[in-house]
Amino acid sequence: MDPQPRRSRTPQPAPPGPLPAHVTQDAVVVVPGIMGSELKDTTTGRHLWGLHRASWYVNAWTRPGGLDALRLTEDELEGRTGRIVATGLLSHSAWTPYLRGVEPYTDLLALVRSCVADDAAILPFAYDWRLPVATNARLLADRARRHLTTWRRHPAQHLAREHRVDQRPARLVFVAHSMGGLVARAALDGGYDSELATDTRGVITLGTPFHGAVKAAVILNTGRGAPVPLPHRKLRAICATMPGLHDLLPQYRSVRDGGSVRHLTPGDVAALGGDADLARESAAFHLAQRQVKLPDHRAVVGTNQPTWQSLTLRDGRVEAHLDGARQNTDGTFVSDRRGRVRYFQVHGDGTVYKESAALGPAVTTLPLQHGAVAKDRSALEAVAEILREDVHLGPPQGDPGCGLSTPDLVEAGRPWTLSLHQVDSLAGLTCRITDVEDSREVPAPLLGWLDGGIGARVTLDRPGLYRVGVRTLDGFTVTQLVLATEPGQRLEESA
């Protein structure tokens, strides 16, 4: 008799081994900021934002028609979306005027992976940042709910619970950069999912402009009455009818008017180059958001960088100021002995001033530029502490490091100035400039005293996207991205 053939068995995966004691059982949702998601046109299959080649950004921003597809169509303004979809979080450095460099989220995602029980616990939420915050918040609320439900069924979630103090089921933790914090807060509004806030352990925001940013008004005003570089005009054309950019306008009293300070009105927004209806809708949205409480909110806030805090409007033109008014506990403005409003330089991350990025006292301050808040080692350490522990410890507080100012756009072969702030000695200062595309390090500029402050004259030898990094004696590094165009390229265009 022939022997019975053996039945083939499908190899079964080995049961997961024990997990490190420091990992969390929670599900983590990573929400990027404006221009922090890669975008694709579904009608053409063309990638519109987030390509890895630095040369692409040089061409896109300095040649006609390079970014026209990002403008909102009438259908999109009416709410009929889907032409453009987000395909993932930014995985390579990107550049835009005024907002300057947007660093990739690869380091942040790697950090989150080291804190969770399995990669399945992570939801990178990419979204079309051109659209209103409210639109993306509805999508986030739905995705976060499905993500938590799925993760609670995962074997690794059950293993992770075994070594936690209370062995509770997983909850959500949102880690949000810039505009992503506004999207996360709106998603936690009970109108979308009445139980989502209850199922959320905490929210970590990195440089989120909860009260808006003057830089958004400057972007909308670009080119009004004065020649400006072509990339800046192109950004303004894209943003003029972009609801997402209008959601970043300052919601605090930021407009200097005579001897007082007032709110920016829809009429002001129309006069400076934006859309009055979008400004009105955004103001109503932000007013409703004031009642949304973020569970166990921790804010990582960039400091020491020169940051616009207020503005003056003259004949439809914006003049931005590096200082702003402050209020007493009774709501009146701090004034001098003659009753005139006093203005204070609070600083911030170069885009969002410090007090706009904080909703409460749980704040970690670090000397960082806005685009690097989600990438810097110190900020990532703060995120790790919060993810791994139910009680936030965080890194030391204070104002170390320095402020860094560079042009956002330069011309290859032409000298430009790098300036440092909040430092009064050359001791321990070092500067490195690296080509983002090929990691080539260019000759280090010589830091010295320039016009009463510390800085350097820099010349980049070829076009590309460059990362400028300055390290101070206390060990902190501040970075900024600079785009260099072709030598002799005409950047000045009349309005």
Side-chain angles (χ1 to χ4, degrees):
M1 182 182 293
D2 295 332
Q4 293 291 327
R6 293 183 179 180
R7 294 181 179 178
S8 61
R9 293 183 179 181
T10 302
Q12 298 297 315
L19 295 170
H22 67 270
V23 300
T24 178
Q25 76 269 47
D26 290 321
V28 181
V29 182
V30 181
V31 191
I34 188 170
M35 297 189 168
S37 299
E38 299 173 355
L39 301 182
K40 179 180 179 180
D41 190 325
T42 60
T43 61
T44 64
R46 179 180 162 213
H47 289 275
L48 303 179
W49 185 256
L51 297 183
H52 72 278
R53 300 187 309 277
S55 58
W56 181 87
Y57 291 99
V58 176
N59 293 331
W61 285 110
T62 60
R63 296 182 181 177
L67 294 170
D68 285 352
L70 288 178
R71 299 188 191 189
L72 273 85
T73 65
E74 288 298 325
D75 280 347
E76 288 171 325
L77 288 170
E78 293 292 331
R80 295 183 289 274
T81 60
R83 176 181 70 94
I84 291 179
V85 296
T87 58
L89 271 57
L90 197 67
S91 57
H92 301 277
S93 299
W95 181 89
T96 181
Y98 290 121
L99 298 175
R100 303 195 181 193
V102 183
E103 294 285 12
Y105 293 97
T106 48
D107 289 350
L108 177 60
L109 288 172
L111 178 281
V112 172
R113 289 190 187 97
S114 72
C115 298
V116 298
D118 190 274
D119 284 1
I122 307 171
L123 170 64
F125 179 74
Y127 61 94
D128 184 351
W129 34 263
R130 306 170 310 133
L131 304 179
V133 166
T135 298
N136 288 310
R138 286 192 293 271
L139 299 174
L140 175 57
D142 177 66
R143 291 279 304 280
R145 168 58 63 196
R146 288 188 280 122
H147 177 59
L148 179 62
T149 300
T150 301
W151 171 241
R152 282 178 169 173
R153 297 173 182 153
H154 198 283
Q157 189 264 167
H158 299 289
L159 282 176
R161 289 173 59 185
E162 293 178 359
H163 61 70
R164 304 303 284 179
V165 174
D166 57 4
Q167 298 189 344
R168 61 171 173 78
R171 299 170 72 192
L172 289 165
V173 178
F174 291 87
V175 181
H177 175 229
S178 188
M179 179 195 274
L182 302 181
V183 177
R185 180 175 65 171
L188 291 168
D189 186 332
Y192 299 136
D193 183 331
S194 60
E195 298 299 321
L196 196 63
T198 302
D199 286 331
T200 298
R201 170 165 76 86
V203 179
I204 307 167
T205 57
L206 310 168
T208 291
F210 288 108
H211 304 291
V214 168
K215 189 168 281 189
V218 173
I219 290 172
L220 291 176
N221 192 237
T222 295
R224 290 278 174 140
V228 293
L230 178 60
H232 297 69
R233 292 182 60 224
K234 294 183 73 170
L235 178 64
R236 187 250 165 210
I238 294 169
C239 294
T241 57
M242 184 187 293
L245 193 280
H246 285 73
D247 283 338
L248 300 179
L249 287 167
Q251 302 300 316
Y252 59 95
R253 286 192 277 184
S254 59
V255 181
R256 301 187 186 189
D257 191 353
S260 187
V261 186
R262 62 173 176 81
H263 287 94
L264 192 69
T265 68
D268 293 331
V269 174
L272 62 84
D275 186 289
D277 289 335
L278 291 179
R280 193 174 293 109
E281 293 168 6
S282 178
F285 165 75
H286 279 281
L287 182 63
Q289 289 293 289
R290 292 181 184 177
Q291 53 82 31
V292 179
K293 304 298 182 185
L294 294 179
D296 194 22
H297 176 221
R298 312 289 177 173
V300 177
V301 176
T303 58
N304 283 2
Q305 314 307 312
T307 306
W308 290 327
Q309 297 171 222
S310 63
L311 59 96
T312 302
L313 291 171
R314 291 190 179 92
D315 300 323
R317 294 183 61 184
V318 169
E319 179 185 356
H321 307 287
L322 294 172
D323 52 8
R326 304 192 76 176
Q327 291 177 278
N328 297 300
T329 54
D330 62 0
T332 60
F333 287 116
V334 177
S335 303
D336 62 18
R337 292 182 179 180
R338 297 183 180 181
R340 296 173 300 191
V341 176
R342 294 180 59 194
Y343 295 95
F344 301 83
Q345 282 199 17
V346 177
H347 297 297
D349 63 16
T351 294
V352 183
Y353 96 100
K354 178 181 175 181
E355 294 180 355
S356 182
L359 287 181
V363 175
T364 296
T365 57
L366 295 168
L368 301 174
Q369 287 276 346
H370 184 75
V373 173
K375 179 182 174 62
D376 182 83
R377 176 183 57 83
S378 300
L380 296 181
E381 288 175 356
V383 172
E385 288 284 353
I386 302 167
L387 287 178
R388 290 169 174 160
E389 301 292 340
D390 288 330
V391 179
H392 172 62
L393 299 176
Q397 307 292 299
D399 291 317
C402 68
L404 170 63
S405 293
T406 68
D408 56 1
L409 182 69
V410 300
E411 183 180 326
R414 177 173 292 184
W416 50 273
T417 301
L418 174 159
S419 301
L420 303 184
H421 312 270
Q422 310 297 312
V423 288
D424 55 12
S425 172
L426 292 168
L429 287 175
T430 57
C431 180
R432 296 177 60 188
I433 301 180
T434 307
D435 188 319
V436 169
E437 187 159 330
D438 59 12
S439 300
R440 175 181 65 99
E441 191 166 325
V442 305
L446 180 63
L447 294 171
W449 292 96
L450 297 177
D451 298 325
I454 295 177
R457 294 288 287 169
V458 182
T459 302
L460 299 173
D461 61 352
R462 68 187 190 191
L465 186 60
Y466 294 85
R467 182 178 293 109
V468 180
V470 176
R471 184 177 177 86
T472 52
L473 183 62
D474 53 22
F476 283 88
T477 300
V478 182
T479 64
Q480 182 61 279
L481 294 180
V482 175
L483 187 72
T485 66
E486 294 282 351
Q489 185 171 31
R490 187 177 179 223
L491 297 179
E492 294 294 325
E493 294 284 344
S494 59

